[in-house]
């Protein structure tokens, strides 16, 4: 039996984790402004969404949730499910780790 050690993360040539390969298409690097905002304590989803000039309603539509869900996630009143993380990362064109709370 060929088993990989549990701490090894298998990625594609593009650096996308194999389990997320179909979920997130292309990543765009985080801009310095978004990184600075995140460093000051602003929620990563909000910082990246604002930098991308996207409204909560637009992001919610792309993710397939109500805008109130995006609001709750950005304010830290609700944790995203794995599926929501994948869809938000896809909509914002970032790696899941960039938006994970």
């Amino acid at each position: 039996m060929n088993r990989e050690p549990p701490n090894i993360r298998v990625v594609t040539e593009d650096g996308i984790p194999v389990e997320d390969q179909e979920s997130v298409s292309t990543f765009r690097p985080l801009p310095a402004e978004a990184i600075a905002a995140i460093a000051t304590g602003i929620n990563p989803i909000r910082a990246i969404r604002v930098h991308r000039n996207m409204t909560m309603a637009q992001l919610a539509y792309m993710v397939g949730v109500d805008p109130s869900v995006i609001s709750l996630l950005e304010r830290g009143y609700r944790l995203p499910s794995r599926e929501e993380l994948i869809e938000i990362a896809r909509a914002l064109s970032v790696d899941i780790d960039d938006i994970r709370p």
Side-chain angles (χ1 to χ4, degrees), residues 1-89:
M1 193 173 351
N2 186 8
R3 298 179 101 183
E4 295 179 35
N7 61 344
I8 292 179
R9 190 171 179 190
V10 179
V11 297
T12 65
E13 290 178 21
D14 299 323
I16 300 171
V18 170
E19 66 271 9
D20 297 332
Q21 184 175 359
E22 295 177 17
S23 306
V24 181
S25 56
T26 58
F27 300 143
R28 292 180 4 203
L30 289 181
E33 298 86 12
I35 293 170
I38 294 166
T40 64
I42 294 178
N43 179 282
I45 295 171
R46 177 177 169 76
I48 298 165
R49 175 183 62 78
V50 168
H51 179 77
R52 303 269 195 253
N53 294 317
M54 192 180 293
T55 66
M56 280 189 204
Q58 289 169 326
L59 179 58
Y61 177 79
M62 294 174 77
V63 174
V65 298
D66 191 80
S68 64
V69 172
I70 301 300
S71 176
L72 291 170
L73 294 173
E74 289 185 357
R75 292 184 293 143
Y77 292 124
R78 183 178 178 284
L79 291 174
S81 68
R82 177 167 171 73
E83 292 77 23
E84 288 170 338
L85 276 174
I86 291 169
E87 291 303 317
I88 292 168

Side-chain angles (χ1 to χ4, degrees), residues 84-101:
E84 288 170 338
L85 276 174
I86 291 169
E87 291 303 317
I88 292 168
R90 177 186 292 142
L92 296 175
S93 300
V94 296
D95 186 270
I96 291 173
D97 291 332
D98 293 335
I99 59 169
R100 203 178 296 263

